[in-house]
Amino acid sequence: MSIGNPLIREKIDQVPKILDELGLDAWMLFARESATVHDPSFDLVVGSNVTWHSAFILTRGGQRVAVVGSLDKANIEAHGHYGEIVTYVSGITEDLRKVLARLDPKRIAVNFSVNDPAADGMTHGQWLALAAILENTPYASRLETGERLVAALRGRKTPAERALIRDACESTVRIFEAVTPKLRPGLTEKQFAAMIVEEMNRVPGLSPAWEPEHCPAVFTGPDSAGAHAGPTDRPIEPGHIVNVDFGVRRNGYCSDLQRTWYVMRPGETAAPDAVQKGFDTILKSIRDAAAEIRPGKTGAEIDDVARGVVTHAGYDEYPHGTGHQIGRVAHDGGGGLLPRWERYGNTPMLPIEAGQCFTIEPRLTVPGHGVATCEDIVAVGDRGAAFLSRPQESLWLVRST
C-alpha cells in the first residue's frame, strides 16, 4: 500500500513540464546517507531517505525510475512515487548505466549550483563518485546544473502549498497577538522570546521555522544585535523599539514574519515622530514593493522599489535583500527580491513567476530607539501579488505602566 504524500505527487507531476520548458531530458538526484547529508530536493520528489548510493531519475516524458540499494527498496516502494525501482547489492554502477542507456537523456540536470543553495544538494564527493560511475559513457559529459529546474519546482507553489503557508502565517500572527499584552518594560529579550515559544508550544503541530537558538530573534533598543542573532539578556526599556523575527513550521511548510512594537515612556500617549516616521516608511516600502510584483519582473526591480522608499526618506540602505522565497523551509531558494550584489549571484535577475511566495522585509534604524521593520508574505498570481499573511497595519504601542 502506498504511503506517499499527495503534495510530493503534485510536485513530481510538475517536473516534466519544467524539463520541457528548459530543454532538459532528465533530472537525476544522486545521494547516499541522505539523512546525514540531505539534498533539499528529496523533500519535494522523493519523500524519504536512502542509505546506499541511490539515483532518482525523472524524465521529460514522465518516466520515474529509482535505482537504489536492495535494503532501501521496500521503503521507496511503500511511498509509491516511483513506478520502476531497480535494486543492486554490490554496487550501483552497472544498473545505473543500464537505466541511463535505456532512457538515453541528452541533457541531464543534477543538483549542484553556484548560485542557489536549495539546488546544491550534491556534495563534491558525490560529484566525484558519480563521475567515476559514468566514466567512459556518454552521460558523464551530459550532466549540468539543475538550478533553474529546482528554482521553478520549488517556486511554483501549488494551491495546496500556498494554503499551508497561509496557515503557518496565521498561526504566527495569532502568537504575536497573544504575547503583545504581555510585553512590558523590564523583560529581557530572552524572557520575551520564551513567552513566544511557550505560545507556540500550546498549539499541537507547530515547531520553529528555523534554528531554535534564534527563532524567535528579539531585538530591543538602539544597541541590539544584528539580524540572525539570538535573544540576549538585554532589558526592554521605555523608548525602545522592539522587533521580533519569528516563524513556525506547520504541516511541513513555514512562515517567516517580523513585527515591531514601541515601548512608550511615562507620559507618552503615542510614539515620537521619528519612530512613527520610521515605521510608516517601512509600511510604504512593503506596500509599494508588493504593488509592483508580477510575473516577468526581476527580483532586483522589486528590491529597487522597496530600497528606494527607505533611502529616499533619508535612511541608510539596509544591508540585506528585500525578500526571499518561502515554502518547505524559511529560505526556499531560487530567485529573490534582492539587490545586484555579488553574494546573491544571478538570483536577483531571475524573473518572478506565478505561484512563487516571497517575504518582504525592509528595515531601517531610528537613532536612539532601535530598528523598525515588518516582514510579511505575498503570493504571486498571474497579474500581481496578494498577501498570504495578515500584515501589521500600525505600530503596536506598549505602555510603561
Side-chain angles (χ1 to χ4, degrees):
M1 177 182 295
S2 170
I3 59 173
N5 185 330
L7 288 171
I8 291 177
R9 183 52 191 262
E10 286 185 350
K11 301 310 288 184
I12 286 175
D13 288 344
Q14 288 180 297
V15 172
K17 181 176 185 291
I18 298 171
L19 287 169
D20 188 56
E21 289 176 7
L22 298 174
L24 296 167
D25 297 296
W27 181 28
M28 180 165 63
L29 288 78
F30 184 73
R32 66 182 171 193
E33 298 289 355
S34 60
T36 301
V37 181
H38 192 65
D39 184 332
S41 293
F42 265 53
D43 298 328
L44 297 178
V45 296
V46 178
S48 180
N49 283 309
V50 293
T51 303
W52 299 355
H53 268 134
S54 302
F56 294 87
I57 304 170
L58 299 94
T59 74
R60 190 193 303 198
Q63 297 106 314
R64 302 188 303 276
V65 184
V67 185
V68 300
S70 59
L71 297 183
D72 285 321
K73 178 185 177 183
N75 186 36
I76 300 304
E77 193 171 51
H79 283 78
H81 298 307
Y82 289 80
E84 181 181 354
I85 302 175
V86 177
T87 62
Y88 70 88
V89 174
S90 63
I92 194 174
T93 299
E94 181 179 356
D95 290 295
L96 180 55
R97 288 185 176 200
K98 286 180 179 179
V99 169
L100 289 174
R102 172 162 52 87
L103 299 174
D104 197 28
K106 301 300 186 292
R107 295 180 62 193
I108 308 169
V110 292
N111 283 5
F112 71 87
S113 174
V114 172
N115 298 293
D116 185 357
D120 197 29
M122 179 183 289
T123 67
H124 184 59
Q126 286 293 88
W127 172 263
L128 294 176
L130 182 59
I133 288 167
L134 299 182
E135 189 175 11
N136 297 322
T137 76
Y139 308 105
S141 62
R142 298 181 185 180
L143 306 179
E144 57 186 273
T145 176
E147 64 183 18
R148 293 294 300 275
L149 164 65
V150 174
L153 186 63
R154 295 188 79 92
R156 297 177 188 177
K157 303 297 191 295
T158 66
E161 289 181 294
R162 294 195 295 274
L164 290 170
I165 296 170
R166 184 190 296 276
D167 287 346
C169 289
E170 183 61 24
S171 295
T172 308
V173 170
R174 288 176 181 173
I175 291 170
F176 283 136
E177 292 173 341
V179 299
T180 292
K182 303 175 184 179
L183 178 58
R184 64 182 187 276
L187 291 174
T188 67
E189 292 177 348
K190 285 182 178 178
Q191 288 172 327
F192 192 41
M195 290 179 178
I196 294 169
V197 172
E198 182 181 5
E199 289 295 331
M200 179 186 69
N201 290 338
R202 293 180 191 274
V203 183
L206 296 188
S207 60
W210 56 88
E211 296 90 338
E213 291 78 14
H214 57 97
C215 185
V218 179
F219 310 106
T220 185
D223 301 315
S224 61
H228 302 173
T232 71
D233 292 320
R234 183 179 295 105
I236 296 168
E237 300 176 7
H240 279 192
I241 295 173
V242 180
N243 171 252
V244 172
D245 188 353
F246 176 59
V248 302
R249 177 174 282 105
R250 181 184 180 117
N251 295 320
Y253 284 78
C254 294
S255 63
D256 181 2
L257 305 179
Q258 295 186 59
R259 294 294 181 260
T260 291
W261 297 257
Y262 173 70
V263 183
M264 293 186 290
R265 296 185 175 102
E268 287 183 331
T269 58
D273 289 345
V275 173
Q276 190 63 55
K277 176 191 174 186
F279 184 80
D280 290 345
T281 299
I282 288 298
L283 288 193
K284 177 174 171 53
S285 176
I286 292 172
R287 290 167 179 167
D288 286 5
E292 290 298 319
I293 293 174
R294 58 183 54 86
K297 287 209 167 186
T298 67
E301 291 177 288
I302 308 305
D303 181 87
D304 288 341
V305 172
R307 194 173 299 274
V309 170
V310 171
T311 57
H312 291 160
Y315 299 98
D316 291 340
E317 184 177 1
Y318 45 92
H320 56 77
T322 295
H324 54 80
Q325 291 191 54
I326 188 163
R328 295 192 65 89
V329 293
H331 288 197
D332 208 37
L337 313 181
L338 304 170
R340 302 164 187 82
W341 295 349
E342 176 189 347
R343 76 180 193 225
Y344 295 122
N346 71 347
T347 55
M349 304 312 299
L350 296 178
I352 292 170
E353 297 187 2
Q356 292 175 332
C357 298
F358 290 98
T359 67
I360 308 179
E361 48 179 309
R363 71 174 50 218
L364 58 84
T365 297
V366 180
H369 295 282
V371 171
T373 181
C374 290
E375 180 177 12
D376 277 295
I377 294 172
V378 297
V380 184
D382 291 336
R383 297 183 179 180
F387 283 94
L388 285 182
S389 56
R390 281 194 283 140
Q392 182 175 356
E393 300 286 355
S394 61
L395 181 61
W396 291 344
L397 300 177
V398 178
R399 296 188 181 278
S400 295
T401 56

